[in-house]
Amino acid sequence: MDIGPVFEALASAPRRKILAYLSATSMTAGEIAERFEMSKPALSKHLKILENAKLITAERKGQFIHYSLADPNMALTLNNFIGTFCPVAAPLRRESREKAEKLKDEPAVDALAAAHREAELKIADQTEMPESSRQGT
């Protein structure tokens, strides 16, 4: 795997925010667009860069394309690493978890959403440790 496109993708705050939104559930481009003040072509470009870096995948479900993390553990770990220098993702991941919780009650939730939620909770447990606990690791 060429790591250059991954770091290029993570260099952009909007793309890191998109990863945070996708941390616990998949979303359509429209659902992602509602959270940003940018043109649809600009959002499409960000999504394509994340796809080319193999951080997200796109799956057509009916008339919509659903985006989700390609590898929840890797993407969240990288996003959390970058987040130490630019902490924009925590409230967005929280929103993603809340959306996943709402979807959990719906019968059509797929295994991918459950895997995203489990990976996010695992990462959240690791990153929400008190500073004093992390220094010993």
Side-chain angles (χ1 to χ4, degrees):
M1 175 182 196
D2 183 14
I3 198 76
V6 172
F7 283 105
E8 178 185 338
L10 293 173
S12 163
R15 291 191 287 271
R16 291 191 305 273
K17 288 179 181 180
I18 291 169
L19 291 175
Y21 280 124
L22 297 176
S23 66
T25 188
S26 65
M27 299 176 89
T28 64
E31 291 172 322
I32 296 168
E34 291 171 0
R35 290 153 173 84
F36 292 93
E37 291 184 22
M38 70 173 68
S39 68
K40 289 186 180 190
L43 177 64
S44 179
K45 181 179 177 183
H46 286 299
L47 291 170
K48 186 54 70 183
I49 289 170
L50 289 167
E51 274 188 277
N52 289 340
K54 297 181 176 43
L55 292 174
I56 65 170
T57 59
E59 179 183 355
R60 180 170 291 280
K61 293 181 183 178
Q63 65 182 21
F64 298 103
I65 297 176
H66 289 257
Y67 294 91
S68 58
L69 296 179
D71 179 348
N73 289 323
M74 180 190 67
L76 291 173
T77 299
L78 288 170
N79 197 33
N80 285 330
F81 170 74
I82 298 296
T84 22
F85 306 105
C86 182
V88 297
L92 309 181
R93 287 194 306 264
R94 194 171 16 259
E95 180 183 337
S96 182
R97 281 194 304 267
E98 290 168 1
K99 182 178 189 279
E101 284 298 318
K102 289 178 188 173
L103 290 174
K104 185 173 75 170
D105 297 331
E106 295 179 12
V109 174
D110 57 84
L112 181 60
H116 283 192
R117 184 177 183 282
E118 182 179 319
E120 170 60 21
L121 292 174
K122 194 181 296 183
I123 297 293
D125 288 342
Q126 294 171 358
T127 59
E128 292 174 5
M129 278 194 246
E131 186 68 29
S132 60
S133 299
R134 281 188 265 171
Q135 291 175 354
T137 57

